[in-house]
Structures are given as C-alpha cells and as structure tokens.
Amino acid sequence: MGVSLTKGGNVSLSKQAPGLTAVTVGLGWQANAGCEPDGSALLCDRTGKVLSDEHFVFFNNLTSPDGSVRHCGSGAPVDGDDQRIEVDLTRLPDAVEKIVFPVSLYEAASRGQSFAQVRRAHIRVLDQEGGTELARYDLAPGGLSAETALVFGELYRHGAEWKFRAVGQGYASGLAGIAADYGVAVPEDALPGPAPAPAAVPGAHAGAPMPPAPQTSADPYQPPAPQTPADPYQPSVPPSPPAAAAPAPDPAAPASPYTTGSSSVTCFFDPHHGPGMTTVTWSPQWGVPRPVQTCAACAQRVQTTVPPFYTPPQQGYPQPVPQGYPQQGYPQPYGDHDHHHHDGGGRRFGAGALIGAGAAGLIGGALLNEAFDDDEPDVVVNNFYED
C-alpha cells in the first residue's frame, strides 16, 4: 500500500522504490452521464513552463517528442484507473524538472458542466516494473463548483530523487487556461471550448455603439458591382488627376448666331463662324468646284446663290458671263454664216471692225496672262483648318 497524501503533501518516490526507472500515473473518477474527463501531462523546465508545445501530452498529442511520456488513451478502467500515463524517467530530458498532471472536462463550457458533477477522483503513482502503488491522492468530494479543469498532482526532481506532490488546483477556464498558464501555444481547434470572441475594432471604445454605415443612392434594382481584390504583385496605378472645370460662360458676351458642335474643323469661309458641320460644293471664281465644310449659315448661302460664290467683281479682271447672254463689245455669230472675210456671199467686216477686234484680242490676251500669273483675287476666301 502506497503513501496516502492530502492536498499539498509530497513523498519521495526514489526512497519508496530505490532504483526506480519508470512509473505509471493512474487517474480515476466517477462522473455524471455526459461528462468526459481527460487526463494530460506537461513536461516543464525549472521556470515552470513547458519545453515546447510538443511537450504537452494530451488526447491530441499522445507522446512527447523523446518518447519518455506516453498517454495510454481512454478505454475500460484498469484497477480503478480510467486513464493512465506512462513515464520513463531514464529517457526524460535533463531540462525537465517536473511533470504536471491535469484533468479537464471535454467541452465543459458548451455542455454547462463542471467538477461539481465529478466524484471520487484520484491520482496515484505505480512502480511500472512491479505495479506497486507508491503514492495516492484522493481529491476531497466537496469544495468544487465552477472548475472545469483540475491539476491533480505532479512529479518533480529534488536533487537526485524523484518526488510526487498532491496539488488539487482548480481552473474555471478549462484545459485552455492550464495550457496558457504553463506556456503552451495550442491552436484553438486543438482544444475544446467556446468559440473565441471577435477581435475588437481598433480605435473603438468598449460598449460604444458603432456608427451607422453610410447610405448610398445606388439603384436597388441593380446588382452591386463585384469587388475585385487588389493584386499585391501588381504595381499600384496612381489615380488620374481630376479634370479641370470648364470656365463659366460670360453673361455679358453676345450670343453667336452660328451653330456650334464637336467638329475640330472650323467654317471654311470664316473660322469665327464656328465649327464646319455641313459639307457643300463650292464653285470658286478661280479653280474647279470642290467640297468644303462650312457652318449652317454659310452652307445655306452657298446653296441659294448662283456661282461664283463670295467673290465680288474685281476691277481690271474679266468677269465670267452667264451662258446664253451676248457679251457687249464682241461680234456674235449668226446661224451658219462664216464670220471670216471673203469675196463670196456672207457678212463682210470693215477695216475699223478688224482693227478693233485685233486690239481687243491683244488686251484680252494680256489680261489672261496676268490672270494665270496671279491666280488669286485681291479678296481671298479664308480656307482655315484647325489641327
């Protein structure tokens, strides 16, 4: 029969079993239906913290990295022990100063359970070689209410000896609270418990209401535009500078009588008329007819005026005569009569008429030669284009 301990008591296992090399820690209880206690072990250094997260042995990590501590799992009770953890003292790292043995209730918070529903709990240490019980601690049946995890006891070094202490320390925060207390960084999904509270918004005060979201005037019948996340590997595109506002019109300026538009070509006849939005055929006094772009007013003037357009008569230049009208000062042919001088019948011309005709021909030739040398009249029609 081993040494029976009370809370806080300790015993030297090395003195109880000289030459001790391995022990078995037995954990037992009687729990209400639906309660699931789970035993575990934490391999700690002299500061009281675990050597690493892998040195926390529990139902999701049944063996320590060096194999010195092994959880035997859950199964049928053995000699009154519901779960057992085996410890090979010879294989423990030198940095391990103590091994803590807690028991927690699985999903206690969500199930509304605590150690008030657990009775006759105990922890005992057996010599693994012969199965002899070396020490035992029976937890008091009363005094537990809101605790969901409990440290039953611990093995620890004392010089060259291994000793056992009865602890009986309760935790209302469950196995996660014990793990945090001993420096274990276990993922949330590895430990049972309630879902973590959402992270606080930076800059927000506790209990202060959040400001309402701004209302937008988007069409409720249109689906919202899909949001594309920014690609971190793509260079950011600088925002385009805002367009300069158009200058306000001067109310004192007179309104233009000409049509304005988006054309980049101004009126062929006068750029001050505005853009050339209409294409018409222009028949100049000098040159051949061709299409031009004019404003609406000039287009109507071209279409309602007999050619040539926009060129007043020039002094000293012969003017074109409409077809079908005789030109004053020049002889006109009549029918099929020959207008050349001959002795036979037909019309005859006097010497004065011949001299006058010759002089007129010389003057006309000179005028035509000057006209071809300067093919533009004094009044030039503006033919201005904008790029």
Side-chain angles (χ1 to χ4, degrees), residues 11-215:
V11 63
S12 173
L13 300 177
S14 300
K15 291 181 180 180
Q16 289 290 103
L20 185 67
T21 59
V23 296
T24 298
V25 177
L27 304 165
W29 46 76
Q30 286 184 356
N32 291 354
C35 288
E36 299 182 51
D38 288 305
S40 55
L42 299 103
L43 285 69
C44 304
D45 58 18
R46 66 179 56 192
T47 65
K49 303 297 182 181
V50 292
L51 270 65
S52 69
D53 294 345
E54 288 75 20
H55 288 84
F56 178 27
V57 178
F58 67 117
F59 53 84
N60 276 343
N61 180 37
L62 295 178
T63 306
S64 63
D66 47 59
S68 60
V69 178
R70 185 176 68 88
H71 196 301
C72 298
S74 300
V78 179
D79 295 334
D81 299 332
D82 291 275
Q83 294 180 7
R84 285 185 169 184
I85 300 175
E86 297 178 346
V87 180
D88 187 345
L89 301 175
T90 62
R91 297 178 62 182
L92 281 172
D94 294 338
V96 175
E97 292 290 326
K98 69 178 179 178
I99 305 173
V100 181
F101 299 95
V103 176
S104 59
L105 298 180
Y106 182 71
E107 295 184 347
S110 60
R111 298 179 181 183
Q113 299 171 350
S114 70
F115 265 90
Q117 300 168 295
V118 179
R119 300 173 305 279
R120 302 182 66 178
H122 74 266
I123 179 173
R124 63 181 187 148
V125 182
L126 308 173
D127 185 349
Q128 196 175 111
E129 184 177 350
T132 305
E133 183 178 291
L134 303 177
R136 182 184 180 96
Y137 169 47
D138 291 297
L139 282 76
L144 299 176
S145 58
E147 291 83 352
T148 56
L150 198 65
V151 174
F152 278 29
E154 62 183 17
L155 287 172
Y156 65 98
R157 293 180 192 266
H158 181 68
E161 299 179 341
W162 280 100
K163 301 182 73 172
F164 175 76
R165 177 184 293 120
V167 179
Q169 180 183 353
Y171 286 79
S173 52
L175 184 59
I178 293 179
D181 203 16
Y182 285 90
V184 182
V186 180
E188 291 293 337
D189 56 354
L191 297 176
V201 178
H205 297 283
M210 295 296 293
Q215 300 295 326

Side-chain angles (χ1 to χ4, degrees), residues 6 54 73 101 108 188 191 217 219-220 232 244 289 340 384:
T6 60
E54 288 75 20
F101 299 95
E188 291 293 337
L191 297 176
S217 58
D219 187 354
H340 297 286
F384 178 77

Side-chain angles (χ1 to χ4, degrees), residues 226-244:
Q227 299 296 325
T228 305
D231 186 350
Y233 299 101
Q234 290 291 337
S236 58
V237 180
S240 301

Side-chain angles (χ1 to χ4, degrees), residues 144-368:
L144 299 176
S145 58
E147 291 83 352
T148 56
L150 198 65
V151 174
F152 278 29
E154 62 183 17
L155 287 172
Y156 65 98
R157 293 180 192 266
H158 181 68
E161 299 179 341
W162 280 100
K163 301 182 73 172
F164 175 76
R165 177 184 293 120
V167 179
Q169 180 183 353
Y171 286 79
S173 52
L175 184 59
I178 293 179
D181 203 16
Y182 285 90
V184 182
V186 180
E188 291 293 337
D189 56 354
L191 297 176
V201 178
H205 297 283
M210 295 296 293
Q215 300 295 326
T216 60
S217 58
D219 187 354
Y221 299 99
Q222 288 289 339
Q227 299 296 325
T228 305
D231 186 350
Y233 299 101
Q234 290 291 337
S236 58
V237 180
S240 301
D250 186 2
S256 174
Y258 302 103
T259 304
T260 60
S262 60
S263 174
S264 60
V265 179
T266 57
C267 179
F268 173 79
F269 296 104
D270 191 339
H272 299 290
H273 289 179
M277 303 293 293
T278 306
T279 302
V280 295
T281 301
W282 174 57
S283 299
Q285 179 175 352
W286 314 101
V288 296
R290 67 177 186 273
V292 295
Q293 289 182 265
T294 68
C295 64
C298 290
Q300 182 167 359
R301 193 174 304 124
V302 168
Q303 294 170 351
T304 57
T305 306
V306 178
F309 312 114
Y310 295 95
T311 306
Q314 305 296 312
Q315 185 176 4
Y317 289 87
Q319 301 298 317
V321 179
Q323 191 175 10
Y325 293 89
Q327 187 172 2
Q328 186 177 1
Y330 290 89
Q332 301 296 323
Y334 294 91
D336 294 333
H337 296 286
D338 189 358
H339 60 274
H340 297 286
H341 177 74
H342 50 78
D343 295 334
R347 188 180 177 109
R348 298 176 182 271
F349 297 96
L354 292 175
I355 294 173
L362 292 174
I363 295 174
L367 291 175
L368 287 175

